[in-house]
Amino acid sequence: GLGREAQSLLGRLEYRGYDSTGAAFIDADASVTLRKRVGAPSMVCPLLGIGSLPGQRFLGQVRWATYGAVTDVNSQPHHVLCKIELVGAHNGNISNTDSLKSWLSTRGHAVLSDNDGEILVHMVEEYYEANSRLSSSDLSGLRQSYAASGLREGVSDSVLRMIDAIKKTESLLEGSYAAVIADPRLPGVFAMKSGSSLYAGLGKDDKGDFILVSSDLTSVL
């Protein structure tokens, strides 16, 4: 099951150093299960039963603290629902976290942790929700613009709104990072990077094709 794969992947990241471990699962019905706490993958995964959790998609993170103390709430991934439900995690540093946190609070977001990864997820949430009000002509303009950058045909309006929200977020973030974001109601997982490494791999198992993205090459291999 996906839980066993997730536990294996998190274990492969333990060599990088850690202070907390987290796993978010999205099932086919768009329900989200999040398990995270302070500790190494080898300890946290059995303790939280991560290996037995079901799901269709998985987002995981092994943290080495930079922004925010070593606490359960500062661990990643982050599950937000101030305006629209999203799940996400990042690796790296976002140096303008404090100013963005103040700005997000004025926009109605409740930032629960001191971790810069949560700031990234809320930023995407802010623009993704705002993009739900884009007109058909706005979306047509975005589609033409992104088509010139290689966007494949057949991408839904919701995917277009997410791509645009990610690009708007990236324009405001300062630092070096790689991140994954998912809307539980939208197929797939979105990835973004600036400076930090980001790898993607296409694989096949007994359930069919799958895609894995990570800031760590060994986990993809």
Side-chain angles (χ1 to χ4, degrees):
L2 187 58
R4 290 194 301 273
E5 298 292 342
Q7 181 166 303
S8 174
L9 284 168
L10 290 169
R12 290 175 185 273
L13 296 173
E14 193 160 329
Y15 82 95
R16 296 180 61 155
Y18 56 82
D19 56 55
S20 54
T21 304
F25 295 87
I26 304 173
D27 219 336
D29 63 358
S31 62
V32 175
T33 302
L34 176 62
R35 298 284 187 271
K36 59 179 183 175
R37 63 163 291 164
V38 170
S42 56
M43 183 272 286
V44 171
C45 288
L47 187 65
L48 299 184
I50 287 172
S52 63
L53 292 174
Q56 183 205 43
R57 288 171 279 169
F58 160 69
L59 290 77
Q61 207 254 22
V62 176
R63 180 172 184 246
W64 186 256
T66 50
Y67 282 88
V70 181
T71 63
D72 292 349
V73 72
N74 282 334
S75 59
Q76 299 191 61
H78 295 286
H79 183 199
V80 305
L81 185 52
C82 295
K83 299 186 176 183
I84 192 166
E85 186 177 24
L86 292 180
V87 184
H90 94 312
N91 177 54
N93 293 284
I94 298 168
S95 57
N96 58 335
T97 286
D98 291 342
S99 60
L100 291 177
K101 186 173 184 178
S102 298
W103 181 78
L104 284 166
S105 67
T106 68
R107 303 290 297 173
H109 292 266
V111 181
L112 304 179
S113 76
D114 295 318
N115 177 246
D116 49 346
E118 186 183 1
I119 297 298
L120 183 149
V121 182
H122 280 291
M123 291 290 291
V124 176
E125 178 193 17
E126 170 68 20
Y127 290 114
Y128 186 45
E129 191 276 334
N131 281 353
S132 66
R133 295 182 289 277
L134 289 175
S135 67
S136 57
S137 60
D138 290 332
L139 288 169
S140 178
L142 286 178
R143 190 175 299 278
Q144 291 176 16
S145 174
Y146 294 150
S149 301
L151 182 72
R152 66 178 176 84
E153 295 183 8
V155 169
S156 70
D157 287 350
S158 293
V159 169
L160 203 62
R161 291 184 182 100
M162 177 64 85
I163 292 171
D164 186 67
I166 288 171
K167 289 179 72 69
K168 288 173 177 173
T169 296
E170 181 191 23
S171 71
L172 293 175
L173 298 182
E174 298 174 3
S176 178
Y177 58 86
V180 287
I181 300 283
D183 172 354
R185 297 161 303 282
L186 195 62
V189 173
F190 296 81
M192 60 190 290
K193 71 177 287 290
S194 178
S196 293
S197 59
L198 181 69
Y199 303 93
L202 174 64
K204 183 186 293 288
D205 60 14
D206 57 358
K207 295 183 176 63
D209 293 338
F210 65 88
I211 293 174
L212 189 147
V213 294
S214 176
S215 62
D216 179 87
L217 180 58
T218 60
S219 61
V220 175
L221 297 175

